Amino acid sequence: MDVRKEGPPRNPHSSAQQPHLGSLSPFFLTCTTYFLLWIPEDPPSRVGALVKCLPVLSLVGLLRAGSGPGPGGGYSLRLQVALLLSALGDVFLIWPESFLYGALSFGLAQLLYACAFGFSPLRPGLLLPIVLASLPFSGLLLLHLPPDLVLPLSAYALALSTMLWRGLARGGSARWGALLFAASDCLLSWHTFVQPLAHGRLLIMATYYAAQLLITLSALQSPKLKTH
């Protein structure tokens, strides 16, 4: 991937920063630890919550190390806050009684991702396939939801769809990150409320961590990669 762009070579913010493999090693190490320990199968604990959210927190560290006051600094900062909200949601979802707090944290993260991705180009034509894909799934899911979760999860689905729309419009790795995030949430919803999936946890968390990584990497891409 060509991450060069025009500008004075001495300006550290005139070119996108491509992370070295070493800078991504904390993320891959913490992901490996999570899957090796497989703590979600254990009773909820603070240790389990920490291990679950460490991969996302490592991405916050990656962005903090590469962010600055340049043109991309605001975008990176919004992603960092969204990642922190996601980590908070990860912690809440460890305990079933905190499910709504987790949904709220992730809903705010989705809205912040959408704002970070921006609304130019608008590309309203992307809304049609999103609606056509989400309405049948949401309708089926609603049949299996407890009544008290219908409104909160409908609001979350709207936030997720907005994030997906803006991620697709932005292009680059944000596009694939948004798609994987939506896929992970669909898998989670089906696994939790409709029917448990074979290897469900593995599929859910693998797509989730990959989504967060790809969205994070979008802060290190050249604006030229953005879809027009």
Side-chain angles (χ1 to χ4, degrees):
M1 178 178 65
D2 186 2
V3 295
R4 295 171 298 174
K5 77 175 191 178
E6 296 178 358
R10 301 294 295 178
N11 186 344
H13 302 293
S14 65
S15 60
Q17 297 175 332
Q18 184 174 7
H20 298 290
L21 183 60
S23 65
L24 294 175
S25 59
F27 171 77
F28 291 117
L29 178 61
T30 51
C31 282
T32 301
T33 301
Y34 173 85
F35 288 115
L36 286 178
L37 294 179
W38 208 245
I39 284 183
E41 299 300 325
D42 297 334
S45 68
R46 294 180 180 179
V47 173
L50 178 63
V51 172
K52 184 182 180 185
C53 68
L54 274 178
V56 175
L57 293 178
S58 72
L59 295 177
V60 177
L62 175 65
L63 287 178
R64 285 187 61 83
S67 65
Y75 179 71
S76 175
L77 180 59
R78 286 188 285 272
L79 293 192
Q80 290 175 50
V81 177
L83 286 167
L84 289 173
L85 286 168
S86 297
L88 184 62
D90 286 331
V91 171
F92 282 133
L93 292 183
I94 288 284
W95 288 272
E97 62 271 20
S98 301
F99 178 83
L100 284 178
Y101 293 108
L104 175 61
S105 298
F106 274 111
L108 293 174
Q110 303 297 2
L111 292 176
L112 199 52
Y113 278 138
C115 291
F117 295 153
F119 290 86
S120 177
L122 191 60
R123 301 195 65 186
L126 291 171
L127 288 170
L128 180 59
I130 293 174
V131 170
L132 291 177
S134 62
L135 280 183
F137 181 85
S138 299
L140 180 60
L141 183 63
L142 288 175
L143 297 176
H144 295 83
L145 288 179
D148 59 324
L149 292 182
V150 170
L151 284 179
L153 292 189
S154 296
Y156 177 78
L158 181 60
L160 178 65
S161 297
T162 303
M163 184 280 296
L164 177 58
W165 170 37
R166 300 320 309 154
L168 292 175
R170 182 176 181 86
S173 67
R175 172 198 295 128
W176 303 110
L179 281 169
L180 281 177
F181 213 132
S184 179
D185 277 357
C186 288
L187 289 169
L188 175 61
S189 300
W190 190 273
H191 181 76
T192 304
F193 299 109
V194 181
Q195 182 178 0
L197 299 169
H199 310 295
R201 283 289 180 185
L202 176 62
L203 293 172
I204 292 163
M205 297 308 297
T207 51
Y208 168 69
Y209 287 141
Q212 297 284 33
L213 174 61
L214 288 169
I215 290 174
T216 297
L217 293 179
S218 72
L220 307 174
Q221 289 181 326
S222 169
K224 286 186 176 182
L225 295 178
K226 185 174 178 180
T227 303
H228 293 285

